[in-house]
Amino acid sequence: MSGAKQRMREKKLSKQPASVQYSSSPLNSGGPTDRGGWVRGHQKDGGGYEVELPKYITATSFAAARAAEVDAMLKAVTKATGSCHVFGAMPRHMRRRAMSHNTKRLPCRLREVANRMREKGLKAGGKKKEQPKNKSRKARRRHGNLLLEFNRRQRKNAWLETHIWHAKRFHMQKKWGYCLGDRPTTKCYRACYRAMSNHCLLQDLSYYSCIELQGEEDELLACLSQLTSKETGPTFAAALALSGRRQGSATVYRAGRYPSHPLGPVTFLWRPRTPGSSHRQLWIWAHPTLKQDLLPELQSVCQCSEPIIPVVAPVVAPAEPPPPPAAPHPGPSQAAETPGAKRKRSAGDNDDDGGPPEKKIVGDGTRPPSAPVSWTSKSTGILINDLSMEIVRYRLIGPRSHAVLTEALEAATDCEALSEAQATPLWWPEHCRDEAKMTLHRQQAQVFQTFKGIYSTGEVPSGTVLGLNVEDPRLALPQKRSKALSNITPDQGTSWPRRRELMLDGVPEHCCHSSLWDRFVRDNVTDNKLAEQEINRMRRAVLVPGSRLSPTPLQSRVPVLLVQQPGKQVGQEMSSWGAGWDLLLPKGWGMAFWVPLVYRGVRIGGLKMSLKHSQNKGAAHFPHDYPDCPAGVRFQEEQEEQLLNKFKRRPPAKRTNYIKHGCLAPFRCPWQQLAEEWELIAGEEAMAAAAAAAAGSGGERRGQSRGELAVQEVTSEGAGPVAVAQSGFSVLRNRKSLKLLSGWCRPTTSKGQRSLRARDQAPLDAASGAALLPAHVRALAWVRVSLLSKGSPELHAQVCVATGEDLRRLGNKGAGCGGPLEPPHKDRFKGKVKRGKKGNKKTAAAPASEAPDADRPPAPAGGPLDPAAAGATSSSGAAASSSSVGLVLGLWPEPLPSVTSHCSRVTLGWVTQGDFSLWAGCGEALGLVSLQGLVHTLLAQPAEQRGLVLLRNPSALHYRWAKVNVEV
Amino acid sequence: MTDARSPGAAALPQTQTADPGGLPSVDMDPVEYTLRKRLPRKLPKRRNDVYVNMKTDFRAQLARCQKLLEGGGGGGAGGGHREICVHGLGLAINRAINIALQLQASSQGALQLAANTSTVELVDDLEPDDPDEATGEPLTRTRNNSAIHIKVYYPSP
C-alpha cells in the first residue's frame, strides 16, 4: 500500500471506534486485542487466528461481546468518515460543480449545515494558509533576499551572468550543470538565420569550460601530443596556433589510443611567447560534457595529480610589475571567493548596493564547490587550472559582427597624468606607466580601428586573435537600439595597406598579447567593476541625455581578447558562411558588455540556434554528432529517454506505429550494430567473390582485387599502428581518407562539376576501396546529405542504398520523380501488447474483487489479502512496465533484428541533424553512414549516378532521392 | 593546387570566381597544401546593384534585373530604378555582358549601357595538410581577377 493511501485510511479510521472486541472477555485475550482497531486482511505477525474452537461459551459474556460489537458497528455507521462535506451525502447525480464554494447550489435542507461547515473550513483553512505565507513581495525582492533566493535556485544548475536577461526572453533548459537558453520565446527562426547570414547573431557561450595549462613549452607539447594525432588535422603544435596568433582546434583522443577512443573536439589558444622565457600558458576550451572526460585525461597525461587549494598563479611574464598589493585577495581559495563575486554580478540590474558581495554559493555546476581547481606536477612542472566560469565568452556570428564590435567597443584611453602619479590599487594606471605596454596598446587599438574598413568578417584570416584593452561599453550606451552597419567607402584610402595586411597576414604577433591572460589583472578588473548604480548616477549628471559619460572612471578599462571564428570551411558552396568573432571577457563583466552589444541590433540565439549554425556550416555539433565519444553516448541515451517519454505522452491511438513503418529504432541509432553488420556483409561478399573466382574466370578480376584485399589486410595488420578494439566503432577523422572518400562521392560527369579534376587521387575502384577499408574497421563516415527534390529530413531518418532498379527508374524519369515506396510492415507485436494489457487488467481487477472478502477476519485460505495484493499489483505493474520497454505499441522490443536488411532497401546509416536548409533551399541532413557500406555502395553505382542514396524519415514510407557528400 | 574548388555563394550577391588558371606558379609540394579561396571583397550593395554569379539560373537573374528596371514595382527589392549596375567577376563576366545585352535588346533601344572593367584582388589560403611544426606555416597568396561593371540606364531626357 502506498504511503498516501495508508495515511488516508488512517485518517478515515481515526474517528472510528478503536475496538469492537468485548475486551473483558476472558476467552479472547489472545488474538485481535493487541491490534489497534480494525485491520483488514491477513497480518503476518500476531494475525494468527486460533485454530481450535473453545469447548464452551458463557452465554452472558458472549451476548455482551456481541452487543458491544453491534454497538460499535452502529457507531461506525452513524459517524461520517473521511471528508465531512454535506454533499457527500447526496447521490451522485445531484452533485454539482463548485458546491462547496457556493452553497446555493445545494438543496435547501442541506444548506444550513453546509454553511456552517464552510465557515468552519474557512477559519481553519485561513489559519493554515496564514502559516506558510511568504514574506511580502517587497521583502522578497529586497536585494539581499533576492540574492539568497537566486543562490538557492542555482545550487544545482549554475547560472550564467546573462541568466536573468535570458530567463526573461528564452525557454531555459537545465543542461550540463547550467541553466541555458534553448530558444527565444518569440518567433525568430528565420530572423536568426538572416542575422547569421547578413548581420550578426550573439550567443553566450560562457558555459564552455576553459582549462588552463602552464608549463615549459616542450613539456606541454610532449604531453599533449599523446592526445592528438596529426592525421586528423592540426594539433596543439600547429605552428601558427603555437605562436599565439591563431586559435587552433583539434580532436582529442584518450592518450595514445588514436583511432579508437575519441573524447571530443576542443579549441585552444596559446598565450604569445614572452621573450626570453619558454614558459607557456595554454587555454583549452571544451564543452562542459567533454570536460569531465578531458580533465582526468589531461591530469594523467601531464602527471598532475596534486591538487592545490590556494592558487597562486606564477608570474608568467617576467617584465610584469608586481601586482599592486591591495588589488587581489592574495591567498584564499579561488573556489571559495570568486564565484561569490560572480553571483553578485549575476543579479545584474538588481545589483544595487555597493557593499561587499555576498558569498554564498560556490561552484560552477560542473564540479562540487569544494573540489580543487588546480593541479600541479613535480615531475613535469605543469600546472593545470580549471577556469570554468572564470572567463565570459560571447560569440558573434555573421558578416557584420566586426561592425557590432567596433561600434560597441572603444579602445581604452590613457589615464591622466595626475592619476598616474599616485599609487592606486587599479591595474590600468599601473599599465599606463609602462611605456612598452602603452605602445603595444596603441598598436592594438590601431588594428582594431582597421576593422572598420572591413566589409565582411570572413575577410580576416580564420582564427585570428587580437588582444585589446577597451573602455567600459556602458559609458557609451546609445539611447535606442539600432543596427550597427559597416560604413565603408569604396575608395581605397590611406588605411588600405593596413587593411590589406590584416586580410593577408592577420594580426601581427605582438598584438595578440592581452592582460586577460593574467589572473591578477582579471581579478582586479572583476573586483573593481563599477556598479550599475554608479553608472546610472553618472548618467543622471550628464547634461545632454544619451551622450557619452565622461570623464572615464579609472576602473572602466577592461582587457579583452577577440578571436575570429572561421565560418563554413568544408565544401564548395557558401564558404565562410557563419564566420564571426568570439569576445572573451573577465568574469563579472558579462552584463556590462551584453547589453551594449544587444543595443547594436544583434539577434540573440540559444542552444538551438547554435545547432542550426553548425548544421549550416556542415560541421559536427559536439555532443550530438559524436556517437563514439563518451559524451556523445551519454547524450544519445538522454535523447532516447526524452524522445521515448515524449512518444509515450501521446495517446496510444495517436502514436506513430514505427514497426509498421519499418523503423527499428526511431529514438536512437544502433551504430555499433550497423558497423558490425556491414562488416559481415562485406565479409560474405568477399567470400562469395572468392568462390566465384575459384569457380570461373568471370570473377577473376574481382577475385584479384579481393586477393589484394587479403594482402592489404595482412599488411595493415602488420604495419597498422593500432588495432581497433574489438568492440566499438569509430568515426572516420583521418583527413587523407576523408579526402579520398570525398573525391569518390562526386559523380565524375555532371553539370557544375567541370572544375573537378581528381588528379592525384586514386580513382574509385575495388582495389583502392579495399585499400581504404582495412585501415578503418567498423568506421562511420560523417556525410552531408542533400535531397534532390522534395522532402525535409528529420532526426534519425534512414540513409539507404538504392537498388539497381531504383537507379534505372531515376535515370528514365529524371530527378523530379519521387523515390520508391517501402511496403508497409506488419506489426506482429500488436497482439502481444494487447494481450499484455488485458493481463494487466485482470491482475489489477483481482485484488479489487477480493478486497471486500479480506475484511472478514476468518478468511479460510488467507488468499491474496490487501498488502499482498497491493504488492502483487505493483509487481505486475512493474512487470508491465518492464515488458513495456519491449512492448510499447509501435516500437520494436529490445533485441533488434538486423538493422541493415530490415527494410526493402539496405540501410547505410542515419541522420543526426536534418532540416530544411534555408541556404540551400532544399532539405539537408547531416549524418553518419557506415564507411564499409558507403564504399560498397559507391562501387556498385554507375559513374554518373555515384553518391545517390535514398533517405526515409522514421515516420514515412516514402524514400527520397538524396546526394551524399563527404566534405573535408 | 590540389583542389580546384569553385567558391562563391549561391545566395549571397557575389560573383563566381572561377579563375582560368591565373595562379602564379609557386614552388610548393602539390600534396601538402589544401587551397581555400576566400570570398572576394565586396563593395557596399545598393538596391540597384546586381552581382551576377554562375550558380543561379540565367533567366532568374535576367528577370531580377528587368524587375528592377520596370517602374512601380513593389516588393522588397523595389523597382523603378533609372539605372542598375550589373557586376560580374571572372567567369561570370560573360554572363554579366549577356544579361546587359539582353536587357538592352528587350527594351527596344530605350536602355543604354556603360561598361567599366576593373581588377579584383582575391585572397587564397593554403593550409598545410601535414601540420608539422617546421613547415606548417599556412600561406596566404593574392591573385588578380578581372571584373566588369555594366551600368544599364535610361538616358536622361
Side-chain angles (χ1 to χ4, degrees), chain A residues 230 233-234 237 239-240 453 455 458-459 461 488 499-500 503-504 569 572-576 739 755 757 759 968, chain B residues 1 4-9 34 36 38-39 41-44 55 121 123 129-133 136 138 140 142:
Chain A
K230 272 184 202 169
L240 262 188
Y455 186 74
E459 287 176 24
I488 55 162
R499 214 156 58 210
R500 199 185 128 104
M503 277 166 62
L504 290 183
Q569 284 189 311
Q572 306 156 25
E573 294 149 332
M574 298 289 288
S575 60
S576 79
K739 259 184 200 162
S755 56
R757 283 168 303 225
R759 261 171 286 167
V968 194
Chain B
M1 128 186 169
R5 288 205 176 121
S6 56
T34 312
R36 248 183 243 298
R38 281 198 218 149
L39 290 181
R41 182 182 160 76
K42 279 182 280 183
L43 292 177
K55 293 251 164 81
E121 194 170 55
V123 183
D129 284 349
D130 180 28
D132 207 64
E133 297 93 274
T140 315
T142 59

Side-chain angles (χ1 to χ4, degrees), chain A residues 633-647:
Chain A
V633 172
R634 281 194 296 272
F635 172 79
Q636 271 216 324
E637 280 162 10
E638 275 165 36
Q639 192 187 37
E640 185 192 359
E641 196 188 326
Q642 218 175 331
L643 291 174
L644 187 66
N645 283 336
K646 199 180 168 198
F647 179 73

Side-chain angles (χ1 to χ4, degrees), chain A residues 92 210 224 289 305 443 935 942:
Chain A
R92 214 165 269 269
C210 177
L224 290 172
T289 51
S305 49
Q443 281 168 348
V935 172

Side-chain angles (χ1 to χ4, degrees), chain A residues 625 671 781-785 799 909-914 925-929:
Chain A
D625 305 327
W671 299 114
W782 166 252
V783 295
R784 192 162 65 88
V785 185
V799 184
W910 291 278
V911 162
T912 53
Q913 305 172 25
L926 296 170
L928 291 155
V929 297

